[in-house]
Amino acid sequence: MMTFETRKDLFHLPEGMIYLDGNSLGPLPKAAAARVMRTLQDEWGEMVITGWNRAGWMAQPMALGDRIGRLIGAEPGHVTLGDTLSIKVFQALAAALAMTDRTVILSDSGNFPSDLYIAQGLIAALGRGLELRVVAPEAVADQITDDVAVMMLTQVDCRTWRLHDMAHLTARAQTKGVLTVWDLAHSAGAMDVDMAGCGADFAVGCTYKYLNGGPGAPAFIYVAPRHAQTARPVLAGWLGHDAPFAFEQSYRPGDGVARMRVGTPPGIQMAALDAAMDIWDGVDMAALRAASVALTERFIAGVEAACPDLALASPRDPAQRGSQVSFRHPEGYAMMQACIAAGVVGDFRAPDILRFGFTPLFIDADYVDRAVAIIAGVMRDRLWDDPAFAAKAAVT
Ligand SMILES: *Cc1c(COP(=O)(O)O)cnc(C)c1O
């Protein structure tokens, strides 16, 4: 296995801030600023509408899809980009439901709210006796039964960071004729993923977390090659049409995963993402995963030694944990605000979870040690026990 070296020099990391929230919003790649400026001035500014061809804006969703595809082990040409992750969850789930007469959507209580809401909305719109069955993450394997239409899971639980065994659950689903939709929001860029190898049907994910594409960067969708020419996109937009500029009256799906495109791609956002993806060139994902495990192990050991009041909410076994660590405490919200004020940025999720993300592209052991020392000080001196830290902001 290749060794892993951090690429922190390629990121702008704010002075005086230890950033452990790259799992929610990746930091700014230094090259992104110049790339976006070039897109604004040389492309949009000078080319105006000809930029769609001359600057390659129209080809970017498939080109960037392939760059992301390498990180998730997808076959080339089977990932495309656009919209937000919630929309891509809708498309994948709707396409899967159209392939079966079964009625149960199986998911787990660790899934992200939007994924569950999208399923609820689809059920209300489609009727036909559909049902969302939400079980505990540990119970999913036993609930993969003959009546399940689609198993829709986020690989890494966004509160505890418990990691599903994607290969095992997908294989089990296949033996029961269950279609699979994997949300890789906290996997893509965080660990090695093997979409082609595990044989899943659909996968989706976002690019503003571990991939550092910036706030609101477009999401991605993968459709397994065996479904690429038959999957129905449901959100049938003109850019997913076989001939968008023929302006035909009726929708004809485009070639393969390109049919999952909906409307006009976000050119400026894609420029930032393209610059962010340059950082991934040559990164060995297994080596990155090993580095991530070493960081989360180090953080857990440090925090547990210094802060006995914080209870580990993540699996202790690193093989069952994503690239993040959560602790629980009833005063977690105020504690996180105090940590942020002291220079360590993580985030909080109700009711009592303090979340910290470890993104090896820019985090190393020294960074972890500095974070632990600051968190230890906040806890030891009860800096969080201040009314100023109890007031909740809109984004926690
Ligand atoms: C971050 C995240 C989302 C967010 O969806 P958007 O449409 O990009 O806001 C959805 N699902 C999961 C699992 C996530 O982690």
Side-chain angles (χ1 to χ4, degrees):
M1 194 170 69
M2 289 161 71
T3 55
F4 182 79
E5 280 175 41
T6 103
R7 299 179 175 211
K8 62 182 173 189
D9 293 345
L10 301 180
F11 290 93
H12 173 80
L13 298 170
E15 265 313 303
M17 181 193 288
I18 297 189
Y19 191 64
L20 301 182
D21 217 352
N23 52 300
S24 276
L25 179 65
L28 172 69
K30 285 180 184 164
R35 182 74 59 89
V36 167
M37 205 43 130
R38 207 168 75 210
T39 297
L40 292 176
Q41 291 177 334
D42 301 352
E43 298 180 359
W44 184 16
E46 296 303 320
M47 301 180 191
V48 207
I49 200 162
T50 64
W52 287 110
N53 290 321
R54 284 167 65 205
W57 300 334
M58 201 48 97
Q60 279 283 56
M62 294 299 294
L64 282 165
D66 274 345
R67 300 190 82 181
I68 293 163
R70 181 185 79 79
L71 306 187
I72 61 167
E75 300 87 343
H78 291 278
V79 177
T80 195
L81 216 69
D83 319 298
T84 75
L85 178 51
S86 303
I87 304 283
K88 278 358 207 180
V89 169
F90 177 96
Q91 282 187 295
L93 183 58
L97 287 171
M99 292 176 181
T100 172
D101 293 328
R102 297 185 189 178
T103 53
V104 174
I105 301 166
L106 176 64
S107 193
D108 73 17
S109 53
N111 208 341
F112 191 89
S114 205
D115 299 46
L116 298 176
Y117 301 161
I118 290 285
Q120 291 161 12
L122 256 175
I123 288 171
L126 294 176
R128 99 173 204 211
L130 291 170
E131 170 200 337
L132 175 62
R133 192 173 287 166
V134 179
V135 304
E138 299 77 10
V140 169
D142 288 338
Q143 295 288 327
I144 303 173
T145 49
D146 288 339
D147 59 338
V148 175
V150 182
M151 178 178 81
M152 178 189 76
L153 296 172
T154 296
Q155 188 189 11
V156 182
D157 183 314
C158 63
R159 293 185 192 87
T160 65
W161 312 121
R162 179 188 182 279
L163 180 65
H164 277 303
D165 184 339
M166 189 187 300
H168 173 72
L169 291 178
T170 303
R172 202 179 156 87
Q174 277 174 347
T175 66
K176 300 280 181 187
V178 174
L179 292 156
T180 44
V181 175
W182 284 101
D183 191 327
L184 305 177
H186 296 284
S187 314
M191 63 186 64
D192 42 339
V193 178
D194 185 9
M195 287 322 299
C198 84
D201 299 289
F202 297 92
V204 293
C206 51
T207 62
Y208 52 79
K209 293 173 180 163
Y210 282 83
L211 300 179
N212 314 304
F220 65 85
I221 182 166
Y222 162 84
V223 180
R226 63 184 176 282
H227 301 311
Q229 302 299 357
T230 49
R232 280 183 37 205
V234 183
L235 287 178
W238 72 303
L239 287 184
H241 190 280
D242 193 42
F245 290 89
F247 276 46
E248 294 173 11
Q249 290 275 308
S250 300
Y251 180 79
R252 283 190 295 117
D255 187 29
V257 77
R259 69 189 53 199
M260 294 296 175
R261 295 176 64 172
V262 182
T264 304
I268 298 164
Q269 200 76 66
M270 288 188 308
L273 178 59
D274 196 42
M277 291 310 296
D278 287 347
I279 299 178
W280 290 97
D281 286 344
V283 172
D284 177 79
M285 297 308 286
L288 174 122
R289 169 68 176 159
S292 147
V293 165
L295 294 175
T296 56
E297 290 285 271
R298 191 179 185 96
F299 183 73
I300 291 171
V303 171
E304 287 194 324
C307 316
D309 290 350
L310 293 180
L312 182 66
S314 298
R316 193 166 290 282
D317 175 4
Q320 292 183 32
R321 189 170 71 224
S323 196
Q324 306 91 342
V325 175
S326 288
F327 286 94
R328 281 184 205 282
H329 193 286
E331 299 293 341
Y333 182 79
M335 286 172 176
M336 182 54 78
Q337 300 319 302
C339 285
I340 294 170
V344 176
V345 176
D347 60 24
F348 173 81
R349 288 294 178 267
D352 58 357
I353 298 221
L354 298 103
R355 308 194 310 171
F356 302 93
F358 295 85
T359 45
L361 280 191
F362 66 91
I363 295 180
D364 56 17
D366 171 59
Y367 206 78
V368 169
D369 293 347
R370 287 194 284 140
V372 168
I374 291 172
I375 296 167
V378 167
M379 299 300 293
R380 184 192 55 232
D381 300 336
R382 291 180 66 88
L383 296 181
W384 53 268
D385 196 3
D386 176 330
F389 294 133
K392 287 221 168 58
V395 175
T396 62

